């Protein structure tokens, strides 16, 4: 982002947080920057444009950090989700005043652009939770993964709300562990009760497609297929010793890809070793990875 534009957004966010969006004028934003009001309109067409751009920028920063964790294949799926929980809470607290202002003044409903952006953001978040749950718990939870994702999102959201609105102080790492334990309870309870799920791809397909498009946009084809391969390995139904060998090879593959300059020959050798186990469910991901590396 242009440095001057970024400087204006930072100043505007402070003004909005202090006085509220509706009570803040473009003139006041200009005064805080010690520039002429007309200069603002070179970068933003209106106060609405400033607010929407500020929120998108804040959201983009958090999404970028979360994606860095999502791409860190040295971490297990459980470790990735825990780190993402912690980061999410820290980012919300960092921009606490701005978020409170947005909610108090219903600024999320300010125009159609903001409404569309909020819809997409919520879809991406559900898609992230859904895939994290599949990666952690495997195929046993697939039927209930959307319900589990929705419930853990609601649980974590309420605790974050206590932190933001009621200024409650929680240890974020402890709270992330707490969330994971509650997710364990949710998943195991859903599997044990075997009740028909409320949410499925039949009634949530369009929403999930929207989330997938946004989430996948941030990842390369190799990164997406490595994550898919990990999920397929977690769901293998074969001898424990063979699963351990495959998992060990996959972990080395992850570590090599995570290096600043991964070696193609090492990657291809590891893929060939995985193919030697002749597990049909892994073939598609292995084919894609071999063509991309």
């Amino acid at each position: 982002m242009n440095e001057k534009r970024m400087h204006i957004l930072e100043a505007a966010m402070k003004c909005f947080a202090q006085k509220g969006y509706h009570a803040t004028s473009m003139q006041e934003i200009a005064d805080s920057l010690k520039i002429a009001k007309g200069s603002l309109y070179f970068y933003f067409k209106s106060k609405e444009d400033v607010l929407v751009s500020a929120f998108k920028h804040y959201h983009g920063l958090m999404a970028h950090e979360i994606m860095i964790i999502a791409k860190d294949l040295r971490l297990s799926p459980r470790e990735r989700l825990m780190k993402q929980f912690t980061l999410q809470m820290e980012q919300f607290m960092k921009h606490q005043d701005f978020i409170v202002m947005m909610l108090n003044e219903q600024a999320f409903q300010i125009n159609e652009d903001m409404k569309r952006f909020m819809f997409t953001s919520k879809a991406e978040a559900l898609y992230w939770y859904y895939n994290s749950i599949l990666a952690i718990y495997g195929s046993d939870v697939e039927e209930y993964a959307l319900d589990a994702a929705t419930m853990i999102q609601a649980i974590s959201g309420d605790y974050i709300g206590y932190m933001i609105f009621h200024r409650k102080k929680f240890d974020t790492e402890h709270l992330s562990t707490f969330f994971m334990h509650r997710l364990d309870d949710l998943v195991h309870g859903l599997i044990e009760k075997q009740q028909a799920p409320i949410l499925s791809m039949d009634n949530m397909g369009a929403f999930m497609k929207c989330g997938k498009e946004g989430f996948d946009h941030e990842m390369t084809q190799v990164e997406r297929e490595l994550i898919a391969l990990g999920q397929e390995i977690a769901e293998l139904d074969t001898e424990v010793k063979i699963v351990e060998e495959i998992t060990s090879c996959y972990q080395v593959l992850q570590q090599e890809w995570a290096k600043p300059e991964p070696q193609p020959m090492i990657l291809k050798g590891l893929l060939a070793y995985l193919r030697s186990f002749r597990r049909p469910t892994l073939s598609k991901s292995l084919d894609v990875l071999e063509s991309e590396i």
Side-chain angles (χ1 to χ4, degrees), residues 1-14 29 33 40 43-44 50 53-61 95 98:
M1 178 180 289
N2 178 283
E3 185 177 347
K4 182 66 174 178
R5 184 179 169 88
M6 186 66 251
H7 192 43
I8 293 171
L9 286 182
E10 289 174 349
M13 287 172 73
K14 288 180 183 177
I29 297 172
L33 291 161
L40 295 180
Y43 297 96
F44 300 97
V50 175
S53 297
F55 182 76
K56 285 183 176 180
H57 173 69
Y58 153 71
H59 181 272
L61 289 177
H95 299 282
F98 181 69

Side-chain angles (χ1 to χ4, degrees), residues 44-96:
F44 300 97
K45 60 185 179 182
S46 65
K47 189 172 73 168
E48 282 187 6
D49 187 24
V50 175
L51 180 68
V52 173
S53 297
F55 182 76
K56 285 183 176 180
H57 173 69
Y58 153 71
H59 181 272
L61 289 177
M62 184 166 71
H64 176 70
E65 294 298 321
I66 284 176
M67 287 305 301
I68 289 174
I69 297 170
K71 294 176 181 181
D72 189 351
L73 299 178
R74 294 168 297 182
L75 302 173
S76 70
R78 190 179 185 90
E79 289 169 334
R80 287 200 296 270
L81 184 56
M82 283 187 66
K83 288 193 69 162
Q84 288 166 327
F85 272 136
T86 301
L87 172 69
Q88 186 180 43
M89 288 185 284
E90 290 172 348
Q91 288 292 321
F92 274 121
M93 292 308 298
K94 181 178 179 180
H95 299 282
Q96 180 178 14

